[in-house]
Amino acid sequence: MALNKPEYTLFKNTRYALTGLLEVTKNEKSFRLQIVLFVFGMIVAWSLPIGFVYKAILSVSLFIPPIAEIINSAVERTVDLVTFDHHELAKRAKDAGAALVFLSLTMLAFIWGLTLYAAFYL
């Protein structure tokens, strides 16, 4: 019995990934806000008068919240697939996804704070 397992190739996997990225971008306002933060952060990071390594750290850290938002969206869609009714476990799953996004933003702020402190004061 095949369980919804398509044949995987590099090109098909890439297409699936890009389809998922487009779907999340189109249907999730929070993800679009994360993309605005990402673009703004990249502009700021590469405009600052700091060394390349500091810019790279700031830039890489900007990927954390969008990744967390994609995971949160996957959790929400899975819960909605199972039930639209209010259920305590469904709420907990969605709250855990929201906590992931919150922690990713907290981590981003921490990384930026430490990196900018090191770049300008050490």
Side-chain angles (χ1 to χ4, degrees):
M1 171 167 88
L3 297 173
N4 194 15
K5 291 264 187 176
E7 182 180 325
Y8 291 104
T9 65
L10 177 64
F11 296 110
K12 284 184 180 180
N13 287 1
T14 302
R15 188 177 69 216
Y16 299 146
L18 293 175
T19 299
L21 190 59
L22 288 173
E23 191 279 328
V24 172
T25 302
K26 183 190 299 183
N27 294 307
E28 291 293 331
K29 183 177 181 181
S30 295
F31 184 74
R32 290 192 300 272
L33 290 172
Q34 297 290 354
I35 296 303
V36 170
L37 174 66
F38 178 87
V39 170
F40 178 75
M42 282 291 187
I43 292 168
V44 169
W46 290 98
S47 299
L48 291 171
I50 57 178
F52 176 81
V53 172
Y54 294 119
K55 291 179 183 190
I57 292 169
L58 296 178
S59 297
V60 169
S61 71
L62 289 168
F63 282 91
I64 299 169
I67 291 169
E69 192 63 52
I70 289 171
I71 295 169
N72 182 41
S73 295
V75 168
E76 288 181 351
R77 284 167 174 71
T78 303
V79 169
D80 290 344
L81 177 67
V82 174
T83 182
F84 280 113
D85 297 332
H86 177 76
H87 191 282
E88 184 58 30
L89 290 177
K91 179 186 181 322
R92 289 182 191 176
K94 288 186 173 190
D95 288 351
L100 172 66
V101 174
F102 175 77
L103 289 176
S104 76
L105 290 166
T106 303
M107 182 186 303
L108 177 68
F110 186 71
I111 291 169
W112 273 64
L114 285 179
T115 303
L116 293 175
Y117 177 79
F120 288 110
Y121 298 110
L122 293 183

